[in-house]
Amino acid sequence: FHCGMLMMYLLYHHKLNRHMSSYQVFRIILQFIATSDWSTKGICIADRKTYPSLPPIQLFHDTYDVVFIDSSGLLNLLSHMTCEQYNQLKHEAILSHSYLDDSTHNGFETVFLRPVPMLLKFDTLCRITVSEETIKGSSLFDHMT
């Protein structure tokens, strides 16, 4: 859904046209995501010149981390997205675009065909230091000794 809305935005702003291949559209979408910053300068599908009474984009920025306003001019499509999630999306777009531009490797295979196991992609290590005094007398302490 969000990708379709982004395509509509890019089509409206003449970044895409109907004669492009799906590969060209994908590359333009990646480049747009990689080079824009919706956490500071959100985008809006609605024509703000035709409807000047729409709320200003800054009002959305005051409320949400990431701003992508729909065609009504009233709904932030990315209201649920955090800055961390948006930065991950940007990072993936930058990587994918660079792989597709790299003539020394098969970028298509790297981006579309090579699987990346979830455990290798998002490995998290959490270390919590707790003193013995804090846990003495609890059942956890009995298991640690």
Side-chain angles (χ1 to χ4, degrees), residues 101-112:
D101 277 348
D102 188 356
S103 61
T104 61
H105 294 92
N106 183 355
F108 185 87
E109 179 185 338
T110 303
V111 173
F112 294 108

Side-chain angles (χ1 to χ4, degrees), residues 58-65 76 79:
Q58 186 56 46
L59 184 65
F60 289 92
H61 277 291
D62 293 343
T63 309
Y64 302 106
D65 292 340
N76 182 11
S79 62

